[in-house]
Amino acid sequence: MSDAISVTGLVKAFGGTRALDGLDLVVGTGEVHGFLGPNGAGKSTTIRVLLGMLRADAGTARLLGGDPWADATELHRRLAYVPGDVTLWPHLSGGEVIDLLGRLRGGLDEGRRAELLERFDLDPRKKCRTYSKGNRQKVALIAALASDAELLILDEPTSGLDPLMEEVFRETVREGRRGGHRTVLLSSHILAEVETLCDRVTIIKDGRTVESGTLAGLRHLTRTSIQADLAAPPRGLADLPGVHGLRAEGERVWFDVDTDAMDTVLRRLTEAGVRGLISRPPTLEELFLRHYDRTGASGGRHVGAAR
Amino acid sequence: MTALTGTGPLVRLALRRERAIAPWWILLIVALGLAMVAYVNRNMGTDELKLTYIDIIRSNAFLQGLGGASVEPRLDVLATWRSGGFLYVASAFAAVMSVVRHTRREEDAGRSELVRSAVVSRQAQLTAAVLVAAGISLTAGLCTAVALIGAGLQPLGSFAYGAAVAAAGWVFAGLAAVAAQAARNARSATAIGLAALAAGHVMRYVADASGQQWPKYLSPIGWGHLVRPYQDERWWMLGVSIAAGAVLLAVAYRLLARRDLGAGLFPERLGRARAPELRGPISLAWRLHRSLLAKWAAGVAFFAAAAAGLSPLARDLLSRPSLVVDNIRSLLGMSGTLGAYSWYLILILAYAVALYPVLMILRLRAEETSGRAEAVQATPMTRLRWAAGHLVVTGLGTAALMAVAGLVFGTLYSLLAGDLTTDLPRFFAGALATVPAAWCVGAVCVLAYGLLPRACAAVSWTAWALTAALGQVAGPLYGQWGGSPLEPFHYVPNVFTATPADILPIAALLAVTAALLGGGLLCLRHRDFH
Ligand SMILES: Nc1ncnc2c1ncn2[C@@H]1O[C@H](COP(=O)(O)OP(=O)(O)OP(=O)(O)O)[C@@H](O)[C@H]1O
Ligand SMILES: [Mg+2]
């Protein structure tokens, strides 16, 4: 099966700022793909390039087999988009906007529209000026989800939604994919959302891709925190590859270890004689924090542990 | 798939949003066309009066500027002449606003992003905007033609007139389309469009006033006059407008096809990292609105220089016997000096500058509706201090603009036709003396802002439009010699005739202004903020 989105070496500069600097992104057809990165990393910019609203300076981007800039209109027939910052026409009602956007996309499913209005608990008669932030977000979400687009591009779609509505959103996305071959590109800062919904994720930073893969694969890349009580003071532990932030107090050691070095390190520990062992499994959060941190390769808790 | 995809629904959306705006423009244009006919019928009912009037026009450059020297003593010609091209200007104005509203303003608001993510071609929004703007101009032109025929004017000429009105809208729709692509945001796009409109009008006016025809052929507003409805209907001039609009539109599409959404021709520059001086309501207002003031100052200086540059011409006119000059002299109580006559030009600038406080109050309202003021209000800064900061900048800015007008005009006038030691101080003082009247117009807007925030824009524009229309400048041209006592500039002392001790009217104006301001601020303090 071909990829729904494939982007290589994408570059986009705004005057002096390089918003995208050789970004790669591959989203397979039918998958829900998490798109993560710190603020200003270039997620929205990438999405705007994919929508043909910005023209890339270099690199290639393919979307549903077409060129996002040249074939924009044709491609938009097959996708639906929810921007992160939803602004609507102040004097139109929510229902009017949903119909308008639906019509612009080439029609929407009436039954589905009614069902989504019900589930998202939105009054379509209110003027957009009077909607709360979350309700404005719902208008855009309903308009997108009520279409039968094969690709959904969602830029922080749940910002402003309450937890109940967020759950409704997750359900709708899950149902949507069960139905067929719907691909979803989901940019988000909510890790729980990404963990429950996404098959694969791409993490970008400063306009470059720093990590991409399945969640299980990524977990693999993270470090396990270990606290061990040993029979004798450890020797040579610090020199082992994959050990980070070692700290020792008598016979007790704390350190983080890369998953692929785990085997060797544990062997070295048992050689010294293990009396007690606490290992904390890697969390995605730590992985993200490590990548999000601007200061360097290791971050968050790892920095703390290194003291 | 074509470049038109999605245009249909977008046209409908634009029409839906124009529902509350376009009809007023159309009504204004038609009403003005009819009002001119009524005016000529009332004031120049007989052929004899018409002939007298034509003589008056021929001997006066200001009146010639109104609609050209080639008038004939007929109702239809006089009525079109009398409108001074206002129908063309109004139609062009509406077109600029409408095109920018449906293109760049949508982009700035972030709604274009939503719209263009649908099955909508890149060109569709621009196409829809231009179609709607052109449709409005066309409707206005057609309604004018029909109304004038209904009023008994000759059909062929009426259709030529209506077509010229529509064509002016079309050219400026094209111009606004280009501006919407090139500018950094909607505000600048509107400013570019309206500046071009003002320049077009001034070029046309100067051409007719001076008798030099070539600037008229360069001005899109001039093309409307050159159609010469009811005279010899030069239809081919319409072709010029249509072609120019089409070329501009082609340029706009070119730019659009190469442009990122939300970007202008030039990339956004970096700003400063710190703002040490930004600490109170006044410095905030100054930071937000200083560029508007700078643009106004440049515009005022330009027009003051242009007006002063005409003073040798005015001197020539004064040396000829003229009924109108005598009328203006006697009715405004002026002495026969050239300086007294030039005072008229300072007043024109003053009426224009009175628009500045109006725009500033509208900006105050925009700060509120956009939610930006909310962020400021959440700090210890009270609502009154926030508003007062804007008002201080507005008040001083208005005074500064008139000072610029007086200095530039006074200096150039003195060098060209007067005496630096006496005329410059007089013009400067005279220009400053108009400031309380301009403040008073702004104060009406403040009251509207405090009392009727939703209607603030409508009331504010009306207040300014009425002031200008009933004023001493438009007044003499439209037969209301001396203007109406209902507008504040009526009480501005003429520095060339009034005795310097005549301070009472100014004090009264200041008192009224203070009362209006106080009322407005009081209402603002007690109403909901949204
Ligand atoms: N129109 C623009 N002009 C100048 N710089 C821009 C423009 N749009 C984006 N940028 C810059 O490009 C970079 C990437 O921005 P982008 O909006 O893609 O970030 P993001 O990953 O979506 O961030 P967030 O998580 O905050 O939404 C930022 O540094 C931003 O300042
Ligand atoms: Mg973003």
Side-chain angles (χ1 to χ4, degrees):
Chain A
M1 209 184 294
S2 73
D3 294 320
I5 296 173
S6 86
V7 167
T8 41
L10 205 61
V11 175
K12 175 73 198 175
F14 296 107
T17 351
R18 258 171 117 80
L20 299 182
D21 194 9
L23 183 122
D24 302 314
L25 172 69
V26 177
V27 179
T29 303
E31 79 182 24
V32 178
H33 195 99
F35 195 33
L36 302 149
N39 292 137
K43 302 179 293 295
S44 301
T45 306
T46 310
I47 287 175
R48 289 200 186 103
V49 170
L50 287 175
L51 289 168
M53 290 171 199
L54 305 181
R55 180 136 70 165
D57 297 327
T60 57
R62 303 289 293 170
L63 182 82
L64 300 172
D67 179 286
W69 178 268
D71 313 324
T73 319
E74 189 65 67
L75 292 173
H76 292 178
R77 200 176 285 289
R78 298 157 62 192
L79 64 83
Y81 167 58
V82 177
D85 237 334
V86 178
T87 28
L88 305 169
W89 298 269
H91 300 288
L92 265 60
S93 73
E96 279 181 295
V97 171
I98 294 173
D99 283 348
L100 169 74
L101 292 175
R103 201 178 308 127
L104 288 174
R105 278 197 189 108
L108 83 189
D109 183 340
E110 283 303 325
R112 191 138 173 77
R113 176 187 189 275
E115 182 203 326
L116 285 166
L117 276 176
E118 171 79 33
R119 284 172 71 178
F120 277 105
D121 190 25
L122 181 80
D123 181 354
R125 290 164 310 169
K126 277 197 177 167
K127 291 280 170 79
C128 290
R129 179 163 30 92
T130 65
Y131 277 133
S132 65
K133 174 176 163 56
N135 281 335
R136 275 199 304 272
Q137 197 76 27
K138 286 185 204 168
V139 171
L141 268 174
I142 293 173
L145 292 169
S147 71
D148 58 353
E150 57 193 276
L151 173 65
L152 284 183
I153 297 184
L154 312 174
D155 192 356
E156 297 182 40
T158 56
S159 65
L161 291 194
D162 66 45
L164 205 66
M165 289 305 133
E166 215 189 298
E167 192 46 45
V168 174
F169 165 75
R170 288 182 198 178
E171 271 167 31
T172 337
V173 171
R174 268 191 234 114
E175 283 163 21
R177 60 181 314 209
R178 211 182 300 139
H181 301 281
R182 181 180 267 187
T183 312
V184 181
L185 178 65
L186 172 71
S187 137
S188 177
H189 288 301
I190 302 170
L191 299 178
E193 181 176 280
V194 173
E195 274 196 277
T196 51
L197 286 177
C198 298
D199 309 306
R200 295 199 324 126
V201 301
T202 293
I203 302 175
I204 68 168
K205 184 175 164 183
D206 295 338
R208 273 201 202 93
T209 308
V210 290
E211 212 80 80
S212 185
T214 61
L215 283 174
L218 288 185
R219 272 208 184 83
H220 202 70
L221 290 175
T222 58
R223 297 165 187 171
T224 307
S225 304
I226 294 206
Q227 175 193 330
D229 294 311
L230 303 176
R235 260 174 299 114
L237 206 52
D239 305 329
L240 284 181
V243 172
H244 307 270
L246 178 73
R247 192 154 60 88
E249 238 172 59
E251 268 96 57
R252 179 171 284 186
V253 289
W254 293 267
F255 61 91
D256 296 330
V257 56
D258 289 338
T259 310
D260 47 5
M262 189 86 91
D263 216 20
T264 351
V265 172
L266 283 183
R267 209 165 290 137
R268 180 67 59 91
L269 286 183
T270 44
E271 275 167 21
V274 180
R275 295 280 149 76
L277 182 72
I278 300 173
S279 96
R280 213 165 31 73
T283 64
L284 275 180
E285 204 155 331
E286 261 167 317
L287 173 75
F288 294 141
L289 286 177
R290 182 143 56 95
H291 285 307
Y292 277 32
D293 186 25
R294 301 214 141 256
T295 53
S298 73
R301 310 174 74 110
H302 296 278
V303 172
R307 253 182 284 119
Chain B
M1 191 66 43
T2 66
L4 283 178
T5 312
T7 307
L10 287 179
V11 167
R12 266 194 279 169
L13 172 68
L15 286 177
R16 160 80 177 73
R17 299 179 59 218
E18 284 287 350
R19 202 158 73 177
I21 306 167
W24 294 107
W25 280 108
I26 296 172
L27 194 70
L28 175 76
I29 290 171
V30 173
L32 231 117
L34 287 176
M36 291 304 144
V37 174
Y39 169 81
V40 173
N41 273 333
R42 194 178 64 233
N43 292 301
M44 294 161 243
T46 66
D47 284 348
E48 206 174 15
L49 277 172
K50 287 194 179 81
L51 279 172
T52 322
Y53 197 73
I54 299 261
D55 279 343
I56 298 179
I57 295 168
R58 295 244 161 89
S59 62
N60 182 280
F62 290 109
L63 285 179
Q64 267 179 33
L66 198 57
S70 65
V71 290
E72 295 167 35
R74 284 190 281 127
L75 166 63
D76 41 20
V77 178
L78 272 173
T80 18
W81 175 89
R82 198 52 154 133
S83 72
F86 187 86
L87 275 75
Y88 308 134
V89 173
S91 160
F93 197 110
V96 168
M97 301 304 274
S98 168
V99 166
V100 174
R101 183 177 309 123
H102 299 298
T103 55
R104 201 53 200 251
R105 204 169 297 285
E106 290 294 282
E107 243 173 80
D108 288 0
R111 293 187 284 261
S112 291
E113 190 172 323
L114 201 54
V115 164
R116 281 204 211 165
S117 76
V119 191
V120 165
S121 73
R122 196 164 287 129
Q123 294 84 0
Q125 275 190 313
L126 179 60
T127 311
V130 170
L131 279 179
V132 166
I136 294 170
S137 312
L138 201 62
T139 314
L142 206 62
C143 291
T144 308
V146 170
L148 290 179
I149 295 169
L153 300 196
Q154 157 217 351
L156 190 70
S158 301
F159 277 115
Y161 192 23
V165 169
W170 167 251
V171 177
F172 277 88
L175 199 122
V178 175
Q181 312 310 314
R184 227 183 278 264
N185 55 38
R187 239 181 214 174
S188 326
T190 314
I192 293 174
L194 295 187
L197 178 56
H201 183 67
V202 168
M203 271 166 80
R204 201 281 307 160
Y205 187 97
V206 167
D208 277 331
S210 66
Q212 295 274 346
Q213 284 301 300
W214 61 268
K216 199 167 172 179
Y217 281 88
L218 292 182
S219 155
I221 293 297
W223 301 339
H225 292 261
L226 286 167
V227 170
R228 294 168 54 88
Y230 305 109
Q231 291 184 292
D232 46 8
E233 282 99 17
R234 286 192 277 179
W235 298 97
W236 59 271
M237 273 316 296
L238 291 173
V240 173
S241 300
I242 293 169
V247 168
L248 285 167
L249 202 55
V251 172
Y253 279 121
R254 257 293 168 73
L255 293 174
L256 175 68
R258 297 157 43 163
R259 183 173 76 90
D260 287 341
L261 182 70
L265 280 188
F266 305 102
E268 204 68 59
R269 282 162 306 184
L270 288 179
R272 293 177 312 158
R274 305 296 306 269
E277 79 292 345
L278 215 54
R279 51 177 87 246
I282 295 179
S283 54
L284 171 67
W286 169 247
R287 175 69 188 83
L288 291 179
H289 307 304
R290 65 187 183 193
S291 71
L292 180 73
L293 186 63
K295 284 175 199 152
W296 268 82
V300 165
F302 174 79
F303 284 109
L310 284 177
S311 38
L313 185 76
R315 185 165 49 192
D316 284 354
L317 282 165
L318 272 180
S319 58
R320 279 192 255 155
S322 156
L323 189 58
V324 167
V325 174
D326 290 343
N327 270 345
I328 290 181
R329 273 184 198 152
S330 64
L331 286 156
L332 293 183
M334 287 179 173
S335 62
T337 65
L338 178 58
Y341 198 55
S342 300
W343 169 246
Y344 199 67
L345 291 171
I346 288 281
L347 270 182
I348 294 181
L349 275 167
Y351 281 101
V353 166
L355 184 59
Y356 172 75
V358 173
L359 294 182
M360 284 293 285
I361 304 307
L362 291 180
R363 280 190 167 205
L364 192 65
R365 170 73 181 147
E367 285 295 296
E368 181 183 346
T369 48
S370 68
R372 292 188 290 264
E374 203 174 73
V376 177
Q377 302 275 292
T379 69
M381 194 190 293
T382 63
R383 197 184 289 182
L384 282 188
R385 283 187 62 219
W386 166 77
H390 277 75
L391 295 182
V392 166
V393 171
T394 306
L396 293 180
T398 311
L401 289 176
M402 279 322 293
V404 168
L407 270 181
V408 172
F409 190 94
T411 309
L412 273 174
Y413 172 89
S414 308
L415 294 177
L416 287 171
D419 170 30
L420 208 56
T421 49
T422 58
D423 285 326
L424 175 58
R426 270 213 280 193
F427 275 113
F428 187 64
L432 285 182
T434 65
V435 169
W439 282 349
C440 193
V441 178
V444 172
C445 306
V446 174
L447 182 65
Y449 171 61
L451 196 60
L452 306 160
R454 287 262 169 88
C456 174
V459 174
S460 302
W461 279 106
T462 311
W464 179 76
L466 282 181
T467 304
L470 298 176
Q472 303 182 60
V473 172
L477 295 181
Y478 292 99
Q480 298 282 324
W481 299 98
S484 154
L486 288 176
E487 60 92 21
F489 286 90
H490 186 77
Y491 302 98
V492 170
N494 181 340
V495 281
F496 285 87
T497 54
T499 49
D502 197 6
I503 203 81
L504 194 67
I506 298 264
L509 266 183
L510 287 175
V512 170
T513 304
L516 289 169
L517 276 181
L521 289 176
L522 203 68
C523 294
L524 174 66
R525 202 175 134 186
H526 290 287
R527 73 166 165 84
D528 286 348
F529 204 70
H530 20 231

